[in-house]
């Protein structure tokens, strides 16, 4: 078998002994290396080889592309297995550990999705992580760093590995509490610790509460929707979702302060969902919104961020902001204002995964750091195109959706104008199923007791209906799905319950428009066309949901002949 080394593996003091044992393992001579299998471990298969009377070499065995590799993890000195990071305090009597058979060990090798053939050193979070050349280039660069990474590109794993290099007080922050918790679990998997580092993993709201707990509770979409229903007669012709996005993503979002009425009305055509003639009414709605927040004892994350920017004091030595596209400029400015030394940050995200109300653009992000527009334009963002998570069929469908989006609305920006490349060689499957009692019963039988299946719905309010048919606790809305991945995903009535919106997304797009493996950069010619802003939640949410699946996606839909589903060419 071939040899790999963990990036933090330190060879023993006696290099000659290590070389001798390593060579024996490489030629599958387990007897010469006195290799034994550490049994009854609940968190992986590990082996130990004898270096000398007191010290042992811990390794695991993985398989990729038909080859088997022994991965050197750590040296255990003085039989102190309980101090091993990877064994998590397991009690092991070295004299009672059974000898390992190389044929059996190779047969039980853990499969990995990807190994870079030119890099014999690998990383480890909850599993083996091997960086491709693009990821390795980013890993070796110094802060500041801005990473554009598609779904499944390993950007979260890369950012966590970059975090391990930082010293002092480190912050990982993202909008989603689910993703913050998932990232924390990955970071500390197998007992990782970094001397000289104190790390916080927080959602943006938790970050605000770490400064000072706001009075009341956060105003979410259900609160806004119920309030707006009472305002509807005064603001006829205004769509509630669009108004919510305009307030959150435009009026209150700027890092320079809440827009005045005159500033808002004077915005350019591409800077607002609404035409200039409609903005007076929107601003009047915003003023009522602020008054309602005070009366109802609710708070808005943007407004709190504006208020607390004046009081925030630097506290962090390094900050990682994951899924940066979910944050507004003022939220981003507040976070970066907490740095002890400017520039010690890493941002990563994907414009195709915007599912929260904002007007995110990579141009706005760059302008926060480089005030000169020409200088900002020249700043290179690191782009990750490889998809390590999804199987071939999931990647094909996700790319087709990106083609439909591009054909219908034009390019989002230059930085996100690409399709993803599937690295995972597993074919996988994407299936369209009729929404019937029999299908739901069959899927429920598969999912109810499995931790490998999850059910996704479009919005939080759709979960109640899904719970009537699926007994699994793993039911999530798209807003909760960031950072999650499962072997199989059930998408419940994404398209059927939103027929008009997905029909508008597919409008004017034919099968012939979806040929080719590249996206040509072309912005929408009509600046007054707000279609992308109006419909981006729906197309982005479907993209996010599809790409949570490692192998299989099941779309349960009553409208199986919907134009979008036909374009996606799902069996």
């Amino acid at each position: 078998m071939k040899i790999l080394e963990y990036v933090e593996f330190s060879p023993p003091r006696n290099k000659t002994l290590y070389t001798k044992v390593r060579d024996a393992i490489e030629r599958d001579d387990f007897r010469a290396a006195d290799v034994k299998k550490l049994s009854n471990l609940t968190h992986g298969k590990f082996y130990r080889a004898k270096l000398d009377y007191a010290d042992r070499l811990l390794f695991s065995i993985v398989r990729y592309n038909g080859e088997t590799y022994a991965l050197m993890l750590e040296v255990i000195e003085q039989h102190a297995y309980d101090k091993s990071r990877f064994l998590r305090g397991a009690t092991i009597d070295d004299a009672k550990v059974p000898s390992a058979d190389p044929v059996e060990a190779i047969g039980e090798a853990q499969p990995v999705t990807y190994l870079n053939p030119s890099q014999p050193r690998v990383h480890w979070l909850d599993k083996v992580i091997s960086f491709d050349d693009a990821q390795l280039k980013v890993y070796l660069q110094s802060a500041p760093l801005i990473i554009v990474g598609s779904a499944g590109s390993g950007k979260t794993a890369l950012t966590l590995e970059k975090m391990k290099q930082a010293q002092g007080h480190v912050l990982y922050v993202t909008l989603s509490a689910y993703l913050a918790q998932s990232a924390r679990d990955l970071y500390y998997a197998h007992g990782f610790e970094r001397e000289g580092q104190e790390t916080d993993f927080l959602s943006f709201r938790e970050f605000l509460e770490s400064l000072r707990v706001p009075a009341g509770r956060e105003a979410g979409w259900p609160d806004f929707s119920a309030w707006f229903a009472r305002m509807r007669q005064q603001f006829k012709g205004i769509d509630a979702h669009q108004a919510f996005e305009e307030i959150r993503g435009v009026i209150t979002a700027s890092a320079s302060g809440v827009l005045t009425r005159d500033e808002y009305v004077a915005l350019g055509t591409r800077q607002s969902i609404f035409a200039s003639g409609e903005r007076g009414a929107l601003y009047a709605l915003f003023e009522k919104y602020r008054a309602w927040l005070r009366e109802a004892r609710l708070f808005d994350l943007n407004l709190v961020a504006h208020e607390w920017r004046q009081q925030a004091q630097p506290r962090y030595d390094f900050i990682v902001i994951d899924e940066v596209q979910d944050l507004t400029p003022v939220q981003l400015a507040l976070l970066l204002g907490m740095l002890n030394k400017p520039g010690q940050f890493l941002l990563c995200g994907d414009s195709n995964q915007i599912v929260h109300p904002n007007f995110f653009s990579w141009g706005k992000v760059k302008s926060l750091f480089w005030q000169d527009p020409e200088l900002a334009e020249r700043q290179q963002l690191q782009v990750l195109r490889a998809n390590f998570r999804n199987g071939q069929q999931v990647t094909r469908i996700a790319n087709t959706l990106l083609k439909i989006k591009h054909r219908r609305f034009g390019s989002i920006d230059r930085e996100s104008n690409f399709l993803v490349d599937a690295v995972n060689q597993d074919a996988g499957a994407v299936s369209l199923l009729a929404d019937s009692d029999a299908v739901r019963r069959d899927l429920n039988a598969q999912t109810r007791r499995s931790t490998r299946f999850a059910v996704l719905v479009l919005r939080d309010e759709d979960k109640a209906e899904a719970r009537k048919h699926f007994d699994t606790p793993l039911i999530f809305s798209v807003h909760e799905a960031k950072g999650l991945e499962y072997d199989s995903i059930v998408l419940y009535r994404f398209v059927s319950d939103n027929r008009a919106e997905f029909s508008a997304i597919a409008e004017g797009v034919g099968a012939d428009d979806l040929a080719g493996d590249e996206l040509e950069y072309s912005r929408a010619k009509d600046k007054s066309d707000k279609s992308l802003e109006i419909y981006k939640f729906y197309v982005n949410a479907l993209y996010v949901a599809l790409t949570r699946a490692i192998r299989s996606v099941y779309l349960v839909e009553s409208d199986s002949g919907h134009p979008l589903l036909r374009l996606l060419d799902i069996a």
Side-chain angles (χ1 to χ4, degrees):
M1 64 184 74
K2 298 182 178 180
I3 301 295
L4 298 171
E5 289 184 347
Y6 173 48
V7 289
E8 299 201 20
F9 173 76
S10 297
R13 293 180 295 272
N14 191 326
K15 301 290 179 62
T16 302
L17 274 179
Y18 170 64
T19 301
K20 180 180 177 181
V21 170
R22 172 186 162 130
D23 290 347
I25 294 172
E26 189 170 16
R27 63 177 184 267
D28 301 343
D29 188 353
F30 278 19
R31 177 174 295 181
D34 193 12
V35 174
K36 295 187 176 183
K37 179 181 178 181
L38 305 182
S39 306
N40 302 321
L41 298 176
T42 60
H43 49 277
K45 293 183 174 66
F46 296 96
Y47 301 84
R48 73 88 170 130
K50 185 176 180 180
L51 291 169
D52 57 26
Y53 175 79
D55 298 341
R56 302 294 181 261
L57 173 66
L58 186 73
F59 67 99
S60 67
I61 300 176
V62 299
R63 182 175 63 254
Y64 173 69
N65 210 18
E67 299 274 8
T68 306
Y69 300 78
L71 170 55
M72 307 295 128
L73 295 171
E74 64 180 342
V75 173
I76 297 173
E77 297 180 342
Q78 300 297 319
H79 305 285
Y81 289 99
D82 58 317
K83 296 180 180 178
S84 165
R85 172 193 158 190
F86 293 93
L87 300 182
R88 302 186 190 179
T91 301
I92 294 174
D93 185 344
D94 200 55
K96 296 181 180 179
V97 179
S99 296
D101 175 71
V103 175
E104 179 183 316
I106 291 171
E108 294 179 348
Q110 297 297 300
V112 296
T113 303
Y114 172 77
L115 285 178
N116 187 336
S118 65
Q119 292 298 326
R121 293 175 69 81
V122 299
H123 300 256
W124 189 298
L125 286 169
D126 62 329
K127 57 188 176 185
V128 176
I129 305 289
S130 178
F131 290 150
D132 68 5
D133 292 342
Q135 292 172 318
L136 189 62
K137 177 184 175 183
V138 176
Y139 179 73
L140 296 174
Q141 286 191 19
S142 301
L145 276 170
I146 305 177
I147 305 170
V148 181
S150 62
S153 63
K155 57 184 180 295
T156 295
L158 176 58
T159 58
L160 294 178
E161 287 298 301
K162 283 292 292 182
M163 278 180 62
K164 292 179 180 179
Q165 301 173 345
Q167 291 292 312
H169 199 175
V170 179
L171 171 66
Y172 171 98
V173 65
T174 187
L175 189 64
S176 166
Y178 284 84
L179 179 54
Q181 182 61 47
S182 173
R184 186 187 187 282
D185 292 344
L186 283 176
Y187 195 71
Y188 292 116
H190 291 285
F192 173 79
E193 292 181 6
R194 170 67 70 227
E195 187 175 346
Q197 184 186 96
E198 176 188 354
T199 310
D200 296 334
F201 286 84
L202 303 172
S203 68
F204 182 74
R205 179 176 166 177
E206 290 166 339
F207 161 74
L208 285 180
E209 292 173 345
S210 75
L211 303 179
R212 189 170 84 247
V213 178
R217 63 177 178 84
E218 182 185 351
W221 161 249
D223 302 299
F224 181 89
S225 178
W227 170 75
F228 184 81
R230 302 195 297 272
M231 299 287 108
R232 191 175 298 279
Q233 290 303 312
Q234 301 176 50
F235 298 95
K236 292 181 179 179
I238 293 177
D239 178 82
H241 279 107
Q242 293 174 30
F244 189 56
E245 177 155 3
E246 190 81 350
I247 290 172
R248 291 288 180 91
V250 181
I251 297 176
T252 64
S254 173
S256 58
V258 176
L259 297 181
T260 65
R261 181 186 294 268
D262 290 343
E263 288 171 336
Y264 175 54
V265 171
L267 288 177
T269 304
R270 290 195 189 276
Q271 295 175 289
S272 167
I273 296 176
F274 294 89
S276 57
E278 301 173 302
R279 294 181 194 165
L282 253 296
Y283 205 86
L285 177 67
F286 166 63
E287 291 175 327
K288 290 183 178 294
Y289 170 75
R290 293 190 84 165
W292 165 67
L293 289 175
R294 290 190 292 271
E295 294 167 5
R297 289 187 57 78
L298 299 172
F299 64 85
D300 179 293
L301 290 180
N302 279 350
L303 296 176
V304 172
H306 280 296
E307 181 182 350
W308 289 358
R309 276 191 73 191
Q310 312 306 317
Q311 307 161 24
Q313 297 295 319
R315 90 164 47 161
Y316 292 104
D317 298 298
F318 191 77
I319 293 179
V320 167
I321 303 177
D322 203 354
E323 302 292 358
V324 66
Q325 77 279 351
D326 292 339
L327 299 179
T328 61
V330 64
Q331 294 168 2
L332 190 54
L334 171 62
L335 285 164
L336 296 179
M338 301 292 293
L339 280 167
N340 291 322
K341 182 180 178 181
Q344 292 302 299
F345 63 81
L346 187 160
L347 316 180
C348 67
D350 178 10
S351 294
N352 288 310
Q353 296 188 64
I354 298 172
V355 293
H356 292 276
N358 64 36
F359 254 64
F360 175 87
S361 74
W362 288 112
K364 287 182 183 177
V365 170
K366 290 192 288 185
S367 68
L368 274 178
F369 319 121
W370 299 285
Q371 297 303 317
D372 182 338
E374 292 187 7
L375 183 61
E377 189 63 29
R378 292 199 300 271
Q379 297 307 310
Q380 178 136 15
L381 278 67
Q382 309 301 317
V383 178
L384 304 177
R385 294 185 50 157
N387 183 322
F388 298 90
R389 176 194 300 145
N390 309 128
Q392 299 282 323
Q393 285 302 308
V394 176
T395 303
R396 180 184 71 82
I397 299 297
N399 274 339
T400 303
L401 184 60
L402 292 181
K403 293 178 187 179
I404 294 169
K405 180 180 178 181
H406 178 267
R407 182 68 182 183
R408 176 69 172 81
F409 304 116
S411 302
I412 312 169
D413 49 45
R414 291 188 183 277
E415 293 81 2
S416 307
N417 199 57
F418 61 89
L419 302 175
V420 300
D421 303 321
V423 173
N424 187 341
Q425 296 302 305
D426 191 333
V430 180
S431 306
L432 179 59
L433 306 177
D435 183 22
S436 66
D437 291 340
V439 165
R440 289 193 298 267
R441 282 196 302 270
D442 184 47
L443 281 176
N444 186 45
Q446 295 182 56
T447 62
R448 63 190 304 174
R449 292 187 177 87
S450 175
T451 58
R452 299 170 65 190
F453 276 80
V455 177
L456 265 60
V457 295
L458 190 66
R459 300 185 185 277
D460 291 335
E461 52 265 38
D462 299 329
K463 290 194 289 186
E465 180 62 27
R467 289 192 184 104
K468 295 178 183 178
H469 309 291
F470 300 98
D471 296 328
T472 176
L474 303 176
I475 298 178
F476 305 101
S477 68
V478 164
H479 285 149
E480 298 168 331
K482 293 293 183 67
L484 302 179
E485 61 178 47
Y486 288 89
D487 188 71
S488 299
I489 293 288
V490 177
L491 305 189
Y492 186 60
R493 296 185 63 86
F494 264 65
V495 175
S496 302
D497 285 349
N498 303 276
R499 286 181 173 87
E501 289 81 3
F502 282 108
S503 291
I505 290 167
E507 184 179 350
V509 181
D512 293 343
D513 297 320
L514 306 179
D517 297 321
E518 296 291 335
L519 299 181
E520 182 179 338
Y521 180 74
S522 60
R523 297 298 295 270
K525 294 180 180 179
D526 183 0
K527 293 184 179 180
S528 64
D529 184 359
K530 306 299 180 184
S531 298
L532 176 57
E533 295 304 326
I534 292 170
Y535 297 115
K536 72 179 179 184
F537 167 74
Y538 298 93
V539 65
N540 289 355
L542 182 55
Y543 177 78
V544 169
L546 284 167
T547 54
R548 299 310 96 192
I550 297 172
R551 291 199 70 255
S552 303
V553 177
Y554 302 92
L555 291 92
V556 180
E557 301 287 353
S558 61
D559 188 2
S560 58
H562 190 282
L564 181 72
L565 296 175
R566 289 202 304 269
L567 286 173
L568 291 175
D569 189 25
I570 302 173

